[in-house]
Amino acid sequence: MAGPDSVSPLFSELYNTKVRMLRENLVRLDLLLSRHNFFDCQTVLQLQHPQSHRKALLLQADMDVDADGSDGDRMPIGTGAPTNFKPFTSFKWAKKTPQPNPYLAGTEERLKKAEDEFNAKTVTAERKNDLRKAITQLRAEVATLKKFSFLIGMTDPYIVIPGAFTRGRDAAKTGDYAVVIFGDAIYPSIVGDIGPNDKVGEASFRIGKEINPQTTPYNRPVSDLKVTYLIFPGTADPQFGPPDLEKLQATCQKLVDEIGGASVPLHHWENIIPPPPTPTPSPTPTISPSPTSTSSPSGSPSASPSATFAFPIASPSPTK
């Protein structure tokens, strides 16, 4: 499938962007790309199978970790907030339950603090301008967290692509199916998030942890350019929703078969999100014995006053 014309113009665009941003940020050391992040991509190829005509975008890169995302419907407890954590992903869908997002309360609290500071009499005009921008952003985040659910980096297999890769002919889009190839393993995935235009090679914590058990939000699973990301443009489902891991595997298998198949079976993802807690049953009302009742015969079991049962059961007959 690869030929002289397979190299995508996205590759040169990526490195032109890296050089431009490096020059623009020379006086901002906090914004400069590290040497590792500058040399994070070996090639970008646009491929098409000659028989099936199935198209694929191939990236050869390293792997950084994306631990973003949250979904109160599936996981009402947060997974932590590492540096630069965001409770959102580009892949989102309308909430299906009234269960609040685990990061909503914290976002609302930050919004209230910003509003209180903005209304303080001692705040300077410059600080007020910064607060105005922060309040606008926080209000938008609160509204988004109330309305949508997102992928969860700790539990869902997805990859991140630069925003520039989503534009142009045959570009990849959020929700497109993909596979991640490392060593002898092929991991089904989707395009779940869109990242900055000057970085390539990022996958969810779930994928990173499967590849390298030492993975953390601060420890990348693969530093060398040995990870292949194969994205199938135009394959996103028309409507997004909570990940269906069985459908993910079946769809990725079909797409891989359309470009010639694979010599190993695709990795099978297990759902690791704990099931919701079982509701505590309502206690059965107990009836206190009347003062005239006789005591139980010796040797017969008597229920503890605090014992409750989900369903009433008959007491055993006394043994003679």
Side-chain angles (χ1 to χ4, degrees):
M1 295 171 63
D5 299 326
S6 298
V7 177
S8 170
L10 293 173
F11 184 64
S12 59
E13 182 179 345
L14 169 68
Y15 272 92
N16 287 337
T17 300
K18 287 176 180 286
V19 172
R20 175 177 56 79
M21 296 187 70
L22 193 63
R23 289 172 174 165
E24 290 176 356
N25 296 324
L26 282 176
V27 295
R28 290 289 307 274
L29 293 179
D30 58 320
L31 297 179
L32 284 178
L33 282 175
S34 66
R35 178 181 177 85
H36 171 84
N37 283 328
F38 188 87
F39 297 105
D40 60 5
C41 182
Q42 185 172 6
T43 191
V44 181
L45 303 178
Q46 289 179 324
L47 307 175
Q48 184 172 14
H49 194 271
Q51 280 79 45
S52 68
H53 303 293
R54 169 60 63 191
K55 294 181 179 180
L57 183 68
L58 184 149
L59 318 177
Q60 187 71 23
D62 64 352
M63 181 180 285
D64 291 323
V65 175
D66 187 311
D68 290 346
S70 58
D71 180 3
D73 295 345
R74 294 184 295 147
M75 186 177 286
I77 300 175
T79 56
T83 304
N84 299 325
F85 170 83
K86 296 178 181 179
F88 323 99
T89 59
S90 301
F91 190 104
K92 63 184 180 181
W93 60 94
K95 280 183 61 59
K96 300 180 181 299
T97 77
Q99 181 70 40
N101 186 288
Y103 298 98
L104 175 59
T107 307
E108 290 178 325
E109 183 179 352
R110 292 195 299 275
L111 173 59
K112 185 178 185 306
K113 287 182 179 179
E115 290 174 335
D116 290 344
E117 184 180 353
F118 182 85
N119 294 323
K121 296 181 180 179
T122 56
V123 67
T124 65
E126 182 179 1
R127 176 60 178 163
K128 207 161 191 173
N129 186 51
D130 292 338
L131 287 170
R132 185 179 291 108
K133 295 177 182 177
I135 289 171
T136 300
Q137 177 67 26
L138 287 169
R139 285 176 178 170
E141 291 182 4
V142 166
T144 300
L145 290 174
K146 287 181 176 180
K147 185 176 181 181
F148 295 104
S149 289
F150 310 88
L151 296 174
I152 306 172
M154 296 290 183
T155 63
D156 299 331
Y158 67 83
I159 65 172
V160 183
I161 62 173
F165 285 28
T166 65
R167 300 187 290 270
R169 183 182 177 185
D170 299 328
K173 303 290 185 183
T174 300
D176 279 344
Y177 287 88
V179 293
V180 177
I181 306 167
F182 182 75
D184 295 329
I186 304 175
Y187 302 94
S189 178
I190 60 170
V191 176
D193 212 355
I194 306 300
N197 290 334
D198 58 342
K199 295 179 182 179
V200 170
E202 190 172 5
S204 66
F205 180 89
R206 177 75 190 273
I207 295 178
K209 193 74 172 177
E210 190 67 34
I211 288 176
N212 183 351
Q214 303 303 316
T215 296
T216 71
Y218 308 103
N219 183 37
R220 68 177 63 91
V222 183
S223 294
D224 297 328
L225 307 183
K226 295 183 177 180
V227 184
T228 303
Y229 304 84
L230 202 58
I231 305 165
F232 300 98
T235 59
D237 294 326
Q239 291 186 336
F240 295 170
D244 182 336
L245 298 180
E246 297 301 325
K247 178 183 177 182
L248 173 65
Q249 176 152 5
T251 303
C252 286
Q253 182 66 65
K254 176 178 176 292
L255 293 168
V256 167
D257 290 343
E258 290 179 358
I259 59 169
S263 59
V264 296
L266 272 61
H267 177 80
H268 182 263
W269 294 109
E270 299 286 348
N271 182 13
I272 61 173
I273 296 180
T278 304
T280 303
S282 301
T284 302
T286 57
I287 302 176
S288 301
S290 63
T292 58
S293 300
T294 58
S295 59
S296 300
S298 177
S300 65
S302 59
S304 168
S306 61
T308 58
F309 302 93
F311 304 97
I313 58 175
S315 300
S317 302
T319 303
K320 294 183 180 179

